[in-house]
């Protein structure tokens, strides 16, 4: 069989197995696994791990934030950074503005992405204005076109949906088979606490964490899984930051509910103390839900080790720090409540979990692959991605599992001006990344061109899809 490319002598890992094999690629697809393969072009992967390319199903790119705030990454820099972090697909959000049609929002994001991506992208939707037309016509049509997941917010004025709106949106998911993702924080509780802190003159970034306490996330998580139970739909609880919220998910699963749980590097590596930095430095760590404390980090690790978490995503949501359009915007300097929420992390997600999880012996390689690639593909309907197997897209990251690196923003490729993980030492980093059989990064250098990455329409989630022929 003639092959375009073969990766030779590496150790392949999937979500179920680790084995020695060469990987043969033709026309962008994995067509052969075996030993002694020959091809037009070969890559020596001796002493390397050959993993499915990372899939980061929770990133924000070029999302408008209002008040003159500009996200630090467009599709060029965001997908370039993701590539260098060992990813071959990211799932960014198309944010519907109030009054805007969802279709118009999707078309606007496509215009931003077209020709600019180094890796594949596939859009989720954010529903902020669930009118009857949106829920009855636009959303079903978009689901049919491959936009098979959407996020709703329980927090942020202007974005949050009330319970009736969430139920109506979940009802559309029920009818279409789409997957609903929920940002769980109780907006009214947060508003109350923000008001109290601002009235007392406590406006520094640390108050961001104080005013978004665990109870606000726990209560909203309970409500989200309960609303999903009323409608009888699966639900994804995104960016879980603590053990109490995870407890609500475990309890719902105990009642037989299908609940997907996602956590992110910030809840393993950062704490609320990071928001205490000198001057206004704590703004660099403002994200929602906020980082908690070491006990909650351990609770999240336990959830990862015991298999409670299905997804490990970055929630990459980058703003520059020292920039009037970023964290230190004129209003942001007056109160934590005006510091844009979100931190960069698409490039460091995989090395952090590999180092802290696999290298330190907390999880094995198949679990790492499941948490960072395979589960994202299955749960979000990327049928040809997320594994190294015959017939799958040749989206592959070749890792040096022994290389030691200190995370420095100067070495990263995003559009922000800092990394919240600056100075953290990691063992293991992806060296060569292949997208659809094309080498995009080789030995840490960019060799591919932008525009190779495409938008990928998705099938229904493995949770929603019914086997053919069954009602
Ligand atoms: N929620 C996210 O998912 N990302 C960034 C900010 C937020 O609140
Ligand atoms: Zn969110
Ligand atoms: Zn997010």
């Amino acid at each position: 069989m003639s092959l375009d490319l073969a990766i030779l002598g590496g150790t392949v890992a999937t979500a179920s197995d680790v084995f020695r094999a060469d990987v043969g690629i033709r026309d962008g697809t994995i067509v052969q696994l075996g030993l002694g393969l020959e091809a037009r072009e070969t890559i020596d992967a001796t002493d390397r791990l050959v993993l499915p390319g990372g899939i980061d199903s929770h990133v924000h790119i070029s999302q408008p934030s209002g008040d003159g705030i500009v996200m630090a990454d467009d599709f060029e820099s965001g997908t370039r950074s993701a590539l260098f972090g060992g990813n071959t697909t990211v799932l960014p959000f198309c944010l519907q503005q109030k009054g805007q049609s969802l279709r118009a929002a999707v078309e606007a994001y496509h215009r931003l992405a077209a020709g600019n991506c180094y890796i594949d992208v596939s859009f989720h939707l954010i529903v902020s204005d669930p009118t009857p037309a949106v829920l009855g016509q636009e959303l079903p049509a978009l689901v049919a076109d491959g936009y098979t997941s959407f996020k709703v917010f329980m927090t942020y004025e202007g974005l949050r949906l009330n319970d009736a709106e969430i139920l109506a949106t979940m009802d559309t998911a029920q009818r279409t088979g789409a997957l609903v993702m929920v940002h769980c924080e109780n907006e009214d509780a947060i508003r109350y606490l923000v008001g109290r802190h601002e009235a007392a003159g406590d406006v520094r970034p640390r108050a961001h964490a104080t005013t978004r306490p665990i109870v606000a996330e726990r209560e909203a998580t309970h409500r989200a899984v309960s609303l999903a139970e009323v409608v009888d739909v699966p639900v994804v609880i995104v960016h879980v930051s603590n053990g109490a919220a995870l407890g609500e998910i475990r309890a719902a699963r105990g009642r037989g509910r299908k609940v997907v749980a996602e956590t992110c590097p910030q809840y393993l590596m950062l704490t609320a103390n990071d928001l205490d930095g000198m001057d206004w430095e704590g703004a660099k760590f403002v994200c929602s839900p906020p980082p908690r404390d070491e006990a909650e980090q351990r609770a999240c690790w336990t959830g990862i080790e015991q298999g409670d978490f299905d997804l490990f995503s970055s929630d990459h949501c980058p703003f520059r720090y020292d920039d009037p359009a970023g964290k230190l915007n004129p209003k942001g300097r007056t109160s934590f409540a005006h510091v844009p929420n979100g931190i960069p992390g698409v490039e460091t997600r995989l090395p952090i979990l590999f180092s802290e999880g696999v290298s330190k012996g907390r999880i094995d390689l198949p679990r790492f692959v499941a948490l960072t690639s395979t589960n994202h593909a299955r749960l979000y309907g990327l049928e040809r991605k997320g594994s190294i197997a015959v017939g799958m897209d040749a989206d592959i990251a070749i890792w040096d599992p022994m290389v030691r690196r200190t995370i420095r923003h100067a070495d990263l490729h995003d559009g922000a001006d800092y990394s919240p993980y600056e100075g953290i030492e990691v063992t293991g980093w992806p060296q060569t990344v292949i997208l659809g059989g094309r080498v995009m990064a080789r030995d840490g250098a960019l060799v591919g061109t932008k525009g190779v990455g495409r938008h990928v329409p998705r099938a229904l989630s493995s949770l929603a899809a019914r086997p053919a022929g069954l009602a």
Side-chain angles (χ1 to χ4, degrees):
M1 178 186 294
S2 73
L3 297 172
D4 301 330
L5 176 66
I7 302 164
L8 304 179
T11 299
V12 175
T14 69
S16 57
D17 298 296
V18 180
F19 54 96
R20 298 295 296 271
D22 302 338
V23 180
I25 296 163
R26 197 178 54 222
D27 296 334
T29 301
I30 298 170
V31 292
Q32 211 176 351
L33 296 173
L35 294 173
L37 301 189
E38 292 179 1
R40 263 194 304 119
E41 183 190 346
T42 60
I43 295 176
D44 179 13
T46 308
D47 297 330
R48 299 287 185 261
L49 293 174
V50 180
L51 308 184
I55 301 175
D56 193 339
S57 60
H58 188 153
V59 305
H60 304 262
I61 297 176
S62 283
Q63 200 176 292
S65 308
D67 272 350
I69 309 295
V70 179
M71 203 158 262
D73 275 318
D74 56 18
F75 282 89
E76 179 175 349
S77 62
T79 59
R80 184 182 60 211
S81 180
L83 170 75
F84 276 100
N87 299 285
T88 48
T89 307
V90 289
L91 278 68
F93 293 88
C94 296
L95 168 67
Q96 176 200 27
Q97 308 279 5
K98 274 252 189 289
Q100 187 186 27
S101 101
L102 260 176
R103 181 67 75 176
V106 167
E107 285 169 359
Y109 281 87
H110 271 287
R111 281 194 294 277
L112 294 171
N116 286 320
C117 296
Y118 286 95
I119 62 171
D120 284 348
V121 299
S122 187
F123 290 125
H124 304 289
L125 314 171
I126 291 176
V127 180
S128 69
D129 201 1
T131 62
V134 164
L135 297 185
Q137 290 145 42
E138 283 209 301
L139 257 185
L142 285 162
V143 173
D145 286 348
Y147 306 90
T148 56
S149 47
F150 37 85
K151 183 175 176 188
V152 298
F153 284 79
M154 298 172 105
T155 184
Y156 300 128
E157 222 33 81
L159 201 53
R160 72 186 283 199
L161 304 190
N162 62 34
D163 290 355
E165 291 169 325
I166 293 173
L167 286 164
T169 308
M170 286 179 168
D171 186 73
T172 297
Q174 219 263 356
R175 285 184 285 110
T176 57
L179 198 54
V180 185
M181 312 157 76
V182 189
H183 179 130
C184 299
E185 288 186 290
N186 181 314
E187 173 68 13
D188 293 325
I190 292 164
R191 276 293 111 216
Y192 164 74
L193 291 170
V194 169
R196 268 199 356 193
H197 279 257
E198 288 194 326
D202 181 7
V203 292
R204 296 183 59 78
R206 172 63 184 238
H208 172 77
T210 325
T211 56
R212 290 180 170 267
I214 286 175
V215 59
E217 184 181 345
R218 189 196 70 212
E219 183 280 330
T221 304
H222 180 82
R223 197 154 30 99
V225 297
S226 302
L227 297 177
E229 188 169 342
V230 169
V231 179
D232 192 17
V233 278
V235 64
V236 183
I237 306 300
V238 292
H239 46 49
V240 174
S241 74
N242 67 86
L246 187 56
E248 296 292 345
I249 292 167
R250 289 193 187 107
R253 287 173 176 161
R255 298 192 297 274
R257 305 306 313 160
K258 288 182 187 171
V259 184
V260 176
E262 175 200 77
T263 193
C264 313
Q266 48 270 41
Y267 307 118
L268 304 179
M269 306 303 292
L270 306 176
T271 70
N273 291 340
D274 289 306
L275 280 83
D276 260 338
M278 294 295 289
D279 198 11
W280 215 252
E281 289 261 325
K284 290 180 177 177
F285 303 91
V286 166
C287 61
S288 295
R292 307 295 184 181
D293 62 17
E294 284 168 9
E296 301 307 334
Q297 289 182 340
R298 282 194 296 278
C300 289
W301 272 118
T302 302
I304 286 179
E305 289 162 13
Q306 295 183 347
D308 295 317
F309 284 113
D310 307 286
L311 301 170
F312 187 75
S313 310
S314 67
D315 196 2
H316 180 75
C317 186
F319 299 97
R320 292 175 63 81
Y321 171 66
D322 194 4
D323 194 314
K327 297 280 189 182
L328 297 188
N329 67 83
K331 277 167 88 179
R333 286 174 180 272
T334 67
S335 168
F336 68 91
H338 300 292
V339 173
N341 278 225
I343 58 176
V346 73
E347 192 167 344
T348 46
R349 170 186 76 125
L350 293 170
I352 284 174
L353 188 66
F354 187 91
S355 185
E356 292 292 318
V358 180
S359 302
K360 293 193 176 171
R362 287 171 162 134
I363 55 172
D364 62 13
L365 257 183
R367 179 118 194 91
F368 172 80
V369 170
L371 280 166
T372 57
S373 181
T374 313
N375 290 353
H376 301 250
R378 289 184 185 156
L379 289 165
Y380 289 116
L382 288 162
E383 291 178 314
R384 285 175 52 99
K385 296 185 182 292
S387 192
I388 296 186
V390 170
M392 302 297 276
D393 286 354
D395 292 354
I396 293 170
I398 303 174
W399 284 64
D400 181 344
M402 304 308 285
V403 68
R404 294 175 66 88
R405 274 181 66 165
T406 303
I407 294 175
R408 302 267 177 235
H409 185 260
D411 299 328
L412 301 178
H413 301 82
D414 58 59
D417 55 355
Y418 75 99
S419 167
Y421 308 108
E422 186 80 15
I424 290 177
E425 295 195 1
V426 294
T427 302
W429 203 281
Q431 306 284 322
T432 293
V433 183
I434 297 164
L435 176 72
R438 292 201 212 192
V439 181
M440 298 297 291
R442 189 190 297 275
D443 298 325
L446 186 65
V447 294
T449 50
K450 68 176 186 173
V452 171
R454 298 285 161 88
H455 181 266
V456 185
R458 283 177 286 122
L460 295 183
S461 168
S462 57
L463 286 183
R466 296 174 186 90
L470 295 182

